[in-house]
Amino acid sequence: MTALMQAPTATGVAASTGEQEFITFYLGDLLLGIDIHQVQEINRNVDMTPVPHAPQAVRGVINLRGEVVLVVDLREVLGLPKSALTRSNRNVIVKNGGEQIGLLVDRVADVVRANTDDLDPMPENLRGIDQRFFKAVYKLELGLLVILDVNVTLASICNES
Amino acid sequence: MFQDESIIQDFVTESNEHLAHVESQLLEIEAGGANSNIETVNALFRAVHSIKGAAGFLGFDTVNKLAHSLENVMDLVRNRALVPTAETVDLLLRSCDQLKSLINDLANSNSADVSALVSALDGVANMNSSHAPEPFDPNTFAKPTPTPPVEAVEVVAPPLAPAPTPIIEHVETPVSATANNSAPATAASSEATPAADANIRVSVGLLDRLMNLAGELVLSRNQLLQAVNSLGRPEVETISSRLDQVTSELQEAVMQTRMQPLANVFSRFPRLVRDLSAKLGKQCDLNISGKDVEVDKSIIEAIGDPLVHLVRNSLDHGVELPDVRSRKGKKPIGAIALEASHQAGRVLIVVRDDGAGIDPARLRSKAVSKGILTAEQASALSDEDAVNLIFHPGFSTAETITDVSGRGVGMDVVKSNITKLGGTVEVVSELGRGTTILVKLPLTLAIIPSLIVHSGNAPFAISQASIVELVRVSANEADKRISTINGSEVLKLRGRLLPLVRLGKILATAEQSRARAEQDDLKTPRNLDIIVVDAGAVRYGLIVDGLQDSEEIVVKPLGRHLKGSICLAGATILGDGRVAFILDANGIAAYAELQRSDSQAEQEEDALGSGAEETQAALMLTNGPEEYFAIPMAVIKRLERVQKEQVHEVGGQRLLEYEKETLTLLSLDDLIRAEPRPDQAWLYVVVFEAGGREIGLIVPKLVEIRQLSTNVDFRTLREPGVIGSLVVDRRTVRLLDVHELASKGCPQLTVPAEAEGLEDVRELRIMLVEDSNFFRTQVSHFLETLGHDVVAFEDGQAAWEALQDPKRQVDLVVTDIEMPRMNGFELCRRIKTDARFDGLPVIALTSLAGEDDVAHGREVGIDDYQVKMDRDKLLTAVRRLLPNRRGELLSV
């Protein structure tokens, strides 16, 4: 239950105007990012209790310091093939709708600082992934960072159940 | 319009505070008439005035307008220019209601139509005022004082005395005009109260977080204690035990912050009773006590509606019209009491009326006509049970449907709501004298006692409140007791068929259940643990893979993503840190599509009819873990579950203390050859009656209730307190004699009652006719110990033949009904129609006295009916009938 990183939650820590910071992580080869302000913490607590009758995308719940927190399998939501848990899996805990929810990711990467002007709209041809979950893309030296829309992603699970 | 959300929010909070006590204040003003307390009137005036001002400032014109007209009327009352009549108070109450609903829906408030109320109010104002009312001026406003957000509970800063002291002074607004301490009523005004300094507002979210953290601290403490114990270092142990204590107290203190007085719920009832009595043309006083009793916020929120329903029912169906009451010689004004008190770690709320009471006969016939019970079942019900039929679904006894109650949703909804809260509800009624409804609730919903069970490897929690009993069906019995009807499994339990639900099947995904089904087939049959669950409308057995301990669990809500999982009521974190889901008994019934018809209608099987051998229902229990005992159900009055701490030792006796009395407790290992019982936090107490007193037997574990053969070995294990033994599921079970246990354990209580009157009846001869060896031995043994001379016969024919011998002197016949060759009815008919036996009394013994039997018995002249194992009553009957032997003819 080591918190690898305790994200700043207060406003005003952000960089200068026009800049945004993203927590980035991988699902397979896909590099995704979430606005740092939406992330509460990242941990390796993946000791999940499965939930009977839960929507497909719900991987289970964890005990996060006395709170029961739902963990969502991002692969499942985005329609990527399932994968077994490894040592590099992390739970990205986000605050959403007054609840804490864990997003299960393959592994976490750096914090990326981007100028808002450099964020591009989604290209039409992104390898067959459901586009409604993405807000924008950002070109890095080594490839593309896709910015995830957390609200839409989590709302899609509600609808399923 | 003003757009700042937080200021509007403050306005709502503050206005609701102002209006919180308006009902009791108005009722007090009404009761006071011309002499009403000026302070109360002032407080109300200021409250309305503040709302008017702030609403005008914020641009809520409709609120402003209504408050203005209300203020004008209040001003007249304040200046003693108007003494409010009941109609005026009605109007004021309605206006305040409207004001409240406008304030709680501000966004739409300006489009609401309040003109009718405004003109009615202005009418009252104009009629009573010599000068014109103060013209409406939207610019008059008072500045709203900013207060923190709405969702908050009040907390006392110097906290946490467990005594039920009121948390906030001003909820204690007196409702009765006779109360002279009306000063706190002013608290609702904008003036600060003296108590205000001691209170702060804390958001519920923060309290919940504190609860979680306290829970987590308890968990860490447990782990630390374990680690420290293994170290064996005394200096560390001192520190850790201090930590232990502080942690426990902290958790308790945090729990305490969520407690609120029941006054918050009770305060709405004076108005309710007032309005409803007027509507029904009845007169009724409401007496409230125990407003200070504190329960968790969640209970406060949930108990309101069920209580409203109960009080309405009492007023509508219970309390009679004034002239009816006068005719019956009662006071024309009825009385309803609403009382709350603490009882053994729970809260007892009593709703009592002095009305007409409930007629058990009417309920029986109603149950039969509605097809809920068969005529036989109905007549077999005791009056107490019959009265409790009102909780049966679809049972409304109102002769005419009023808009007050009797809309088809009724007491069953009340019951299931209370059950959901982990509470119980019972009704006691005396025809013509009134009805009392007892609602028992836990102090909190946040922590519930529960049983941890397993499905596969995963732990699940079930609230103890929904568990009726635990039944274990052994592998070799499973075939006999479990059968399949229309593809669903049912368990034969005490002559009834109980639908079964396999937890594993319910919870598993499709692929898991397929794998599981195969596994189940392959596995050799094993013992089944079945939890009999009461889900309000249905009762069913839940088959689980394993039972673990009982645990007090802290309930955590499931997030919005899991709202669809109807089988789960929440989650909790177990002592080892694992997450366990809490099962929802009602949800599982719905998911498994169990219906009443499945569980009841067709499946009433008469176990007594099908088997030739006579059986009796007995409670099986253990004392030492592997020592089995049984007690005949007929002698058991009730079962209780108590905490170890509730049992006190006083003067060498164990006592269970109730509010007003104590119950003497017996423990098997003190009285008979038994292993010591294990030390447990929770114990069961089997309560029975001996010598006219209640006595309890401490039982560590209840196994099940089942029909036992009466084929009892009276020799091998016989000792005082043990009738004999029999073999059940290859285990030796000792059948207990509770009366012998009682006279051994507390002779001072039981002997006098039994000895008394012995002189008169000594040396009288009793003929006992009974075909069951077990009962024959039991009853004759019992009668002999009382000094009677008993001759026993196996059936009516044998007894009748013996009676032909003129030398045989018999003073009393005690006979079974069902017997081969000649039954008890026939035997009695012959005795009663033969002049030789004139005046010979006959007592019939039955397993269950049905009304048909009683009627038939009366025709043939049976003098009294007694239930077989109820020896105190049999003794009374014997005593009552014997002295008459040579006196006049007997009458029933």
Side-chain angles (χ1 to χ4, degrees):
Chain A
M1 230 216 261
T2 337
L4 289 182
M5 191 202 67
Q6 201 80 41
T9 44
T11 48
V13 187
S16 60
T17 358
E19 281 203 336
Q20 232 181 323
E21 283 182 302
F22 297 97
I23 301 281
T24 67
F25 53 83
Y26 283 97
L27 290 181
D29 306 329
L30 183 64
L31 183 62
L32 290 166
I34 299 178
D35 186 335
I36 202 164
H37 293 121
Q38 289 183 292
V39 179
Q40 179 193 308
E41 69 182 87
I42 297 171
N43 63 42
R44 58 200 322 168
N45 179 353
V46 290
D47 180 15
M48 288 166 290
T49 307
V51 188
H53 303 169
Q56 273 279 305
V58 171
R59 193 68 183 255
V61 292
I62 54 166
N63 169 10
L64 182 66
R65 294 186 298 281
E67 247 2 297
V68 174
V69 172
L70 191 78
V71 177
V72 169
D73 190 339
L74 264 192
R75 280 179 163 269
E76 182 76 39
V77 180
L78 301 186
L80 299 171
K82 247 190 153 76
S83 75
L85 287 180
T86 68
R87 284 181 56 87
S88 65
N89 277 106
R90 292 291 181 275
N91 246 323
V92 178
I93 310 289
V94 295
K95 284 255 176 167
N96 186 267
E99 284 177 42
Q100 308 178 76
I101 291 176
L103 303 177
L104 185 68
V105 304
D106 289 359
R107 63 193 167 93
V108 288
D110 301 327
V111 175
V112 170
R113 184 174 296 197
N115 199 312
T116 4
D117 298 339
D118 297 338
L119 292 174
D120 297 325
M122 284 293 296
E124 295 294 320
N125 58 349
L126 198 78
R127 287 165 296 175
I129 292 184
D130 200 336
Q131 303 217 352
R132 64 193 159 121
F133 299 123
F134 305 122
K135 273 183 177 163
V137 289
Y138 180 67
K139 288 189 195 75
L140 297 172
E141 279 170 36
L142 296 173
L144 279 183
L145 170 65
V146 181
I147 310 299
L148 189 72
D149 188 331
V150 174
N151 291 336
V152 174
T153 305
L154 293 178
S156 75
I157 299 167
C158 280
N159 294 340
E160 247 177 80
S161 60
Chain B
M1 193 190 296
F2 213 83
Q3 286 306 324
D4 188 329
E5 263 308 309
S6 77
I7 292 190
I8 291 176
Q9 212 41 267
D10 288 347
F11 167 64
V12 173
T13 310
E14 199 188 73
S15 302
N16 278 327
E17 264 170 26
H18 282 315
L19 292 173
H21 309 290
V22 63
E23 287 177 358
S24 51
Q25 286 167 332
L26 278 171
L27 294 183
E28 194 191 332
I29 291 169
E30 182 183 23
N35 303 318
S36 58
N37 187 318
I38 193 70
E39 261 316 303
T40 313
V41 183
N42 273 334
L44 199 52
F45 176 81
R46 280 193 302 265
V48 175
H49 181 76
S50 305
I51 292 171
K52 180 187 91 169
F57 172 64
L58 294 171
F60 298 115
D61 294 338
T62 313
V63 176
N64 179 257
K65 218 186 296 172
L66 182 59
H68 176 79
S69 299
L70 200 50
E71 184 190 350
N72 282 340
V73 177
M74 288 312 304
D75 193 33
L76 293 172
V77 178
R78 188 169 68 142
N79 296 327
R80 302 286 193 217
L82 165 67
V83 176
T85 59
E87 291 78 49
T88 319
V89 171
D90 258 340
L91 177 62
L92 292 172
L93 282 169
R94 272 188 286 127
S95 306
C96 290
D97 288 347
Q98 177 70 37
L99 201 54
K100 269 188 214 169
S101 59
L102 288 176
I103 286 166
N104 290 315
D105 185 19
L106 278 177
N108 302 314
S109 70
N110 280 350
S111 51
D113 178 21
V114 296
S115 54
L117 282 173
V118 167
S119 62
L121 287 167
D122 290 349
V124 172
N126 285 326
M127 227 175 358
N128 293 282
S129 149
S130 45
H131 55 88
E134 193 186 322
F136 174 61
D137 175 9
N139 295 321
T140 339
F141 61 81
K143 224 164 145 201
T145 1
T147 36
V150 233
E151 217 211 48
V153 293
E154 300 278 351
V155 179
V156 181
L160 314 174
T165 48
I167 281 192
I168 3 173
E169 281 299 303
H170 62 251
V171 297
E172 284 301 291
T173 310
V175 288
S176 111
T178 48
N180 52 8
N181 56 336
S182 50
T186 55
S189 78
S190 48
E191 288 169 16
T193 61
D197 293 342
N199 295 331
I200 53 161
R201 286 164 164 279
V202 179
S203 83
V204 172
L206 179 58
L207 289 185
D208 287 345
R209 211 161 137 237
L210 274 174
M211 275 283 288
N212 281 340
L213 292 173
E216 192 70 358
L217 190 59
V218 170
L219 183 59
S220 312
R221 172 201 62 186
N222 294 346
Q223 290 165 348
L224 182 70
L225 287 181
Q226 254 174 8
V228 167
N229 285 341
S230 61
L231 279 178
R233 305 227 337 241
E235 69 277 17
V236 187
E237 271 167 32
T238 321
I239 302 171
S240 85
S241 77
R242 173 89 187 119
L243 176 71
D244 183 21
Q245 198 189 343
V246 172
T247 310
S248 303
E249 277 180 34
L250 176 71
Q251 195 187 23
E252 220 168 276
V254 172
M255 287 294 304
Q256 194 75 32
T257 60
R258 291 174 52 96
M259 303 294 260
Q260 292 187 307
L262 277 168
N264 293 1
V265 179
F266 285 2
S267 60
R268 67 169 101 159
F269 286 98
R271 164 95 185 264
L272 181 100
V273 170
R274 173 195 180 274
D275 287 0
L276 197 56
S277 321
K279 200 168 178 182
L280 295 168
K282 295 179 178 179
Q283 290 175 322
C284 190
D285 283 338
L286 176 67
N287 301 309
I288 294 180
S289 72
K291 283 188 292 185
D292 301 345
V293 171
E294 288 185 348
V295 296
D296 191 273
K297 182 178 171 297
S298 48
I299 301 261
I300 293 272
E301 283 160 5
I303 194 60
D305 289 346
L307 282 184
V308 165
H309 200 103
L310 292 176
V311 171
R312 275 183 173 168
N313 256 341
S314 291
L315 196 49
D316 193 14
H317 302 320
V319 174
E320 310 93 328
L321 290 164
D323 55 323
V324 177
R325 290 182 63 90
S326 305
R327 242 181 290 139
K328 287 187 182 170
K330 293 181 179 179
K331 278 194 294 183
I333 301 177
I336 293 180
L338 190 57
E339 296 158 359
S341 56
H342 283 284
Q343 204 181 54
R346 289 167 80 83
V347 172
L348 173 68
I349 301 179
V350 177
V351 179
R352 188 199 321 272
D353 68 63
D354 67 345
I358 303 172
D359 184 357
R362 231 181 84 207
L363 288 181
R364 280 197 195 94
S365 66
K366 198 125 190 171
V368 174
S369 71
K370 290 199 175 222
I372 294 167
L373 293 177
T374 64
E376 296 79 57
Q377 288 169 327
S379 62
L381 281 187
S382 68
D383 281 0
E384 273 165 48
D385 290 340
V387 166
N388 279 286
L389 280 171
I390 59 168
F391 295 118
H392 208 281
F395 210 101
S396 175
T397 57
E399 297 280 327
T400 52
I401 289 174
T402 65
D403 70 335
V404 177
S405 48
R407 274 160 300 191
V409 295
M411 298 291 271
D412 58 317
V413 178
V414 171
K415 185 180 185 182
S416 73
N417 284 342
I418 290 172
T419 311
K420 249 185 243 162
L421 294 175
T424 58
V425 55
E426 252 177 88
V427 56
V428 183
S429 184
E430 207 180 325
L431 195 55
R433 301 287 293 276
T435 303
T436 303
I437 291 166
L438 304 151
V439 179
K440 277 187 199 161
L441 293 168
L443 287 175
T444 174
L445 287 186
I447 292 187
I448 55 171
S450 63
L451 179 72
I452 309 297
V453 302
H454 277 270
S455 172
N457 293 323
F460 290 89
I462 300 182
S463 161
Q464 294 276 11
S466 56
I467 299 179
V468 181
E469 60 178 314
L470 304 180
V471 178
R472 170 168 283 186
V473 175
S474 66
N476 51 9
E477 241 191 352
D479 276 354
K480 246 192 305 174
R481 295 189 62 189
I482 297 180
S483 45
T484 309
I485 297 177
N486 297 335
S488 350
E489 288 176 297
V490 291
L491 170 73
K492 202 184 270 183
L493 187 65
R494 292 190 287 286
R496 292 192 170 199
L497 295 182
L498 185 75
L500 290 178
V501 173
R502 283 183 188 264
L503 183 61
K505 235 184 203 165
I506 287 284
L507 297 181
T509 57
E511 58 196 287
Q512 278 172 314
S513 62
R514 222 174 299 122
R516 216 187 147 82
E518 281 163 23
Q519 235 182 358
D520 279 350
D521 286 345
L522 291 176
K523 249 186 256 164
T524 44
R526 56 192 182 89
N527 293 345
L528 289 177
D529 286 316
I530 299 172
I531 302 171
V532 181
V533 178
D534 189 358
V538 295
R539 189 173 271 211
Y540 60 93
L542 191 63
I543 303 180
V544 298
D545 293 341
L547 301 175
Q548 222 178 308
D549 290 338
S550 294
E551 219 173 286
E552 303 258 309
I553 57 168
V554 179
V555 181
K556 320 253 171 181
L558 297 172
R560 63 181 194 280
H561 295 286
L562 298 180
K563 284 277 179 279
S565 308
I566 57 164
C567 296
L568 307 180
T572 189
I573 293 172
L574 297 179
D576 58 4
R578 278 193 298 172
V579 177
F581 290 100
I582 303 164
L583 299 174
D584 183 324
N586 294 305
I588 291 176
Y591 188 83
E593 294 177 340
L594 290 180
Q595 271 148 28
R596 287 198 54 74
S597 59
D598 287 351
S599 56
Q600 309 251 304
E602 46 190 319
Q603 303 177 354
E604 308 288 344
E605 249 199 13
D606 191 353
L608 293 174
S610 59
E613 187 195 31
E614 189 155 7
T615 60
Q616 63 168 337
L619 173 71
M620 304 250 293
L621 50 102
T622 63
N623 192 56
E626 291 302 322
E627 269 185 323
Y628 286 80
F629 295 93
I631 301 176
M633 283 302 286
V635 304
I636 298 176
K637 280 194 79 175
R638 63 175 188 278
L639 295 174
E640 293 198 10
R641 189 160 174 272
V642 301
Q643 268 176 304
K644 189 172 75 177
E645 289 74 30
Q646 287 171 262
V647 178
H648 301 278
E649 284 220 34
V650 181
Q653 282 197 41
R654 286 193 190 80
L655 297 175
L656 178 63
E657 283 169 12
Y658 294 118
E659 205 163 303
K660 291 201 180 100
E661 52 196 327
T662 55
L663 180 72
T664 305
L665 295 181
L666 306 174
S667 182
L668 279 182
D669 37 323
D670 295 344
L671 301 171
I672 58 170
R673 287 191 297 262
E675 286 167 33
R677 74 186 144 82
D679 187 37
Q680 313 183 141
W682 286 90
L683 301 163
Y684 292 93
V685 174
V686 176
V687 182
F688 57 92
E689 210 169 66
R693 296 208 31 152
E694 285 193 350
I695 292 173
L697 178 68
I698 302 177
V699 170
K701 190 174 158 212
L702 302 179
V703 182
E704 61 172 324
I705 299 172
R706 62 183 288 173
Q707 293 292 332
L708 292 187
S709 151
T710 47
N711 196 0
V712 176
D713 172 357
F714 294 104
R715 302 237 299 271
T716 319
L717 292 168
R718 165 81 189 145
E719 63 177 308
V722 176
I723 299 170
S725 59
L726 66 168
V727 176
V728 180
D729 297 346
R730 298 194 200 147
R731 277 193 300 254
T732 301
V733 176
R734 280 182 271 175
L735 195 57
L736 296 173
D737 184 326
V738 290
H739 293 86
E740 284 183 356
L741 289 175
S743 52
K744 211 168 162 187
C746 39
Q748 73 284 10
L749 293 184
T750 47
V751 162
E754 290 203 358
E756 155 202 335
L758 266 188
E759 306 289 309
D760 322 338
V761 294
R762 202 179 292 280
E763 283 176 30
L764 291 174
R765 259 158 291 186
I766 298 177
M767 172 181 266
L768 174 66
V769 194
E770 164 68 72
D771 60 329
S772 149
N773 181 34
F774 169 76
F775 287 118
R776 198 168 57 241
T777 317
Q778 279 305 294
V779 177
S780 69
H781 169 73
F782 161 62
L783 291 171
E784 276 164 5
T785 56
L786 292 174
H788 301 298
D789 187 3
V790 180
V791 284
F793 298 92
E794 281 187 15
D795 58 45
Q797 185 67 35
W800 179 246
E801 279 161 16
L803 277 175
Q804 302 315 308
D805 180 354
K807 275 179 284 179
R808 188 176 288 280
Q809 292 284 319
V810 174
D811 299 304
L812 172 73
V813 177
V814 176
T815 179
D816 186 20
I817 299 288
E818 296 298 333
M819 288 181 295
R821 300 210 293 166
M822 185 192 294
N823 68 21
F825 290 136
E826 178 59 19
L827 175 64
C828 181
R829 195 190 58 77
R830 291 196 188 186
I831 291 172
K832 292 294 181 182
T833 51
D834 193 321
R836 287 176 296 163
F837 308 116
D838 185 21
L840 176 61
V842 178
I843 296 177
L845 288 182
T846 60
S847 314
L848 248 189
E851 275 189 355
D852 287 354
D853 283 359
V854 174
H856 189 184
R858 211 166 274 158
E859 272 167 35
V860 299
I862 285 172
D863 295 291
D864 202 350
Y865 267 96
Q866 290 304 328
V867 176
K868 277 181 187 172
M869 294 303 286
D870 196 336
R871 60 177 77 187
D872 276 7
K873 286 215 180 111
L874 177 58
L875 170 68
T876 318
V878 167
R879 239 192 252 143
R880 189 164 57 80
L881 292 171
L882 274 179
N884 284 331
R885 172 69 182 100
R886 320 235 184 267
E888 66 240 42
L889 269 176
L890 291 155
S891 60
V892 180

